[in-house]
Amino acid sequence: MLEDIKDGTAAATRLAGGAPLHSTLDVADPADWLALDAGVREMAWHRPEFLPGWEHSAPLPADLTQLGESRLALALCHRDGRIRQEAVRQSVRYPGLLPLVVIRCADWVGPVREHARKLLREALNVDSALSLAPLILRVGRRDRGAFGVDVLGQILRQASHGQLAILFAAPDRVVRRFAYRFAIEGRLLRPAELARAAAGDQDTVVQDLCATAALTALGDEDAYEGVLPSLLSARNPRTRSAGVTALRRAGRAEQAEAFLSDRSALVRACARYVVRQQGGDPEVWYREQCTTPDDPDLPPGAVIGLAECGNRADAGLLRPLLVHPAAGVRARAVAGLRALDCADAEQLRPLLDDPAAGVVRETVAALLPSVRELPADWLLARTSTDLPRHVRVGAFRLLDARGGTVALRVAVGLFQDPDMKLRTWAAQSVQRWHP
């Protein structure tokens, strides 16, 4: 793989010496073609009075008809537009140079651009379009790059569902976005297929595209059977929230109650909306869940959900949960008290020693507003190397926010700490410190 323009320049030198194209760059990687194109002209850009090194050692002949594939690739990237134009004409002899023709379709010289576009339209078929799609879409972001994207769309109209599936599974998210937009506009995928794509893809743009399209395409309640299970079981919260919101339209609003305790705030908010639309009361549901502080099956989402839609009086239900056996419940109880503005420093102090890092993080966030009330010596003792890292980090964050000479001494002492991140944070603290 060519990392940058310098690698492209080195590749140009090897090609000028006759090295095969396939052994010089990864022909399946669009970045390599773009690096080669830029690297061939690198010297001409920065020092116009000097020729690139490869032109000194192996200059191109005036007649390009006898050039092999490697050196014709250099001619296609040449600084002289007339040479590029002639090289485009000669490139029909070597189908492997079609990626460089794609790049020339966005050339800044009009005749070069027109010849390349004519050749691309004639040479591109479904198979080559599938392999060149990543490069075409990258070049499509340039000022004159829209032509290639248009041709790609025209060619893909002839592709089968199986051929398009190659683009749906492409590692490049730009390619997947294009492929799904193309399929959605052409109504090439069933709602159930779109729902599975929304649930399985890691890109948020694809998730939103497919989830929205899957729900928009539905026309009757029976069709929801193939769509809602995929959306509601998705790992990503945006897709789950789309499924939860669709429960009302599908006439299954009662199922939204199960998502009131979802781990995602977005999904919980959508579930509360659906429950309220059906006349339910999420606050009552949350209070019922939190009335048994020793329940080992209490979902953490129900704890923070109570704080999201409750009031300060509900802090009485959250405080007993600070000693719940589940770390997730303890952490959400601290977060809930902070959200309700009911965090009591004396009550939360013991949680700075909690064995769960998530609980300590939430405790630190809750204690920051009242950090001046915390004893400096108590915090100082928790920066000892004998304690777990998350306790030391939490104590140092509070000391740093508290300021003063104690914080400065602790930060200087951490310069020799075995933990690299703590050393870095300590150095930044010393730089920010002021009397």
Side-chain angles (χ1 to χ4, degrees):
M1 178 179 178
L2 308 183
E3 298 290 343
D4 49 30
I5 290 180
K6 289 184 179 179
D7 286 349
T9 302
T13 302
R14 292 195 295 273
L15 291 175
L21 202 62
H22 286 71
S23 64
T24 305
L25 67 157
D26 183 355
V27 295
D29 188 348
D32 276 26
W33 290 106
L34 294 170
L36 174 65
D37 179 52
V40 169
R41 298 183 302 280
E42 195 267 345
M43 179 64 74
W45 283 346
H46 300 292
R47 302 288 296 277
E49 67 274 17
F50 292 104
L51 294 177
W54 65 267
E55 285 201 57
H56 284 293
S57 59
L60 295 176
D63 183 9
L64 303 184
T65 58
Q66 303 304 314
L67 287 181
E69 184 180 49
S70 296
R71 302 198 69 204
L72 190 58
L74 299 177
L76 279 164
C77 308
H78 200 273
R79 56 194 168 82
D80 189 326
R82 290 167 295 185
I83 293 178
R84 293 198 305 278
Q85 181 178 345
E86 179 59 25
V88 169
R89 293 194 186 97
Q90 298 300 325
S91 66
V92 294
R93 297 185 284 121
Y94 298 104
L97 295 178
L98 195 57
L100 291 176
V101 175
V102 170
I103 297 174
R104 295 282 70 82
C105 286
D107 201 279
W108 56 94
V109 177
V112 177
R113 194 166 60 244
E114 294 307 317
H115 278 85
R117 290 178 176 183
K118 181 176 182 296
L119 177 58
L120 181 66
R121 191 182 290 278
E122 295 171 352
L124 204 63
N125 55 38
V126 172
D127 290 334
S128 58
L130 294 173
S131 62
L132 287 174
L135 177 61
I136 291 173
L137 294 173
R138 281 205 187 190
V139 176
R141 296 196 289 252
R142 296 182 174 182
D143 287 343
R144 294 167 288 271
F147 174 84
V149 179
D150 291 341
V151 173
L152 176 65
Q154 294 169 17
I155 296 297
L156 289 181
R157 291 193 184 101
Q158 308 165 24
S160 66
H161 190 288
Q163 289 173 314
L164 284 177
I166 297 173
L167 300 184
F168 298 148
D172 189 338
R173 64 182 180 182
V174 174
V175 175
R176 298 200 306 279
R177 290 174 183 178
F178 172 84
Y180 280 113
R181 284 193 181 102
F182 177 82
I184 290 168
E185 289 172 3
R187 298 183 179 182
L188 304 178
L189 294 175
R190 298 189 301 274
E193 293 175 307
L194 290 168
R196 287 194 293 271
D201 203 281
Q202 299 301 309
D203 181 57
T204 56
V205 174
V206 172
Q207 293 164 12
D208 288 347
L209 273 174
C210 293
T212 303
L215 295 173
T216 303
L218 294 176
D220 56 79
E221 292 188 7
D222 293 337
Y224 282 92
E225 291 292 344
V227 172
L228 284 180
S230 295
L231 298 182
L232 294 174
S233 62
R235 288 177 58 86
N236 50 82
R238 297 174 69 91
T239 303
R240 286 203 310 282
S241 66
V244 170
T245 306
L247 286 171
R248 178 170 175 252
R249 175 180 159 194
R252 305 177 187 182
E254 67 282 355
Q255 295 180 21
E257 188 176 274
F259 294 89
L260 289 172
S261 59
D262 194 90
R263 62 184 180 273
S264 164
L266 175 63
V267 177
R268 291 194 299 270
C270 291
R272 288 195 292 269
Y273 165 78
V274 175
V275 169
R276 288 187 181 115
Q277 292 299 307
Q278 292 300 113
D281 191 341
E283 291 90 340
V284 172
W285 186 89
Y286 284 128
R287 291 184 183 113
E288 289 175 354
Q289 296 292 310
C290 296
T291 51
T292 52
D294 55 349
D295 180 7
D297 297 324
L298 176 62
V303 179
I304 190 63
L306 176 59
E308 288 168 344
C309 66
N311 52 57
R312 291 172 63 90
D314 294 313
L317 292 173
L318 297 180
R319 290 191 181 99
L321 300 176
L322 295 175
V323 293
H324 193 276
V329 172
R330 296 197 302 275
R332 299 303 182 275
V334 175
L337 289 171
R338 181 164 65 95
L340 294 172
D341 196 23
C342 294
D344 179 78
E346 285 301 316
Q347 190 174 37
L348 295 181
R349 271 178 57 180
L351 291 173
L352 193 62
D353 297 316
D354 197 278
V359 177
V360 174
R361 281 195 299 271
E362 292 292 350
T363 302
V364 170
L367 290 176
L368 280 173
S370 54
V371 70
R372 295 285 182 182
E373 302 173 17
L374 302 177
D377 293 341
W378 179 78
L379 290 173
L380 180 61
R382 276 146 187 80
T383 61
S384 169
T385 54
D386 298 333
L387 294 174
R389 179 184 181 276
H390 63 273
V391 174
R392 299 166 59 223
V393 169
F396 178 65
R397 280 188 62 196
L398 291 170
L399 275 170
D400 186 41
R402 193 176 190 277
T405 56
V406 175
L408 179 61
R409 287 202 309 270
V410 171
V412 172
L414 290 175
F415 283 177
Q416 305 302 321
D417 195 273
D419 188 88
M420 184 183 69
K421 286 189 176 180
L422 261 177
R423 293 199 303 270
T424 303
W425 293 335
Q428 294 170 347
S429 176
V430 170
Q431 291 173 351
R432 293 193 305 267
W433 188 87
H434 56 84

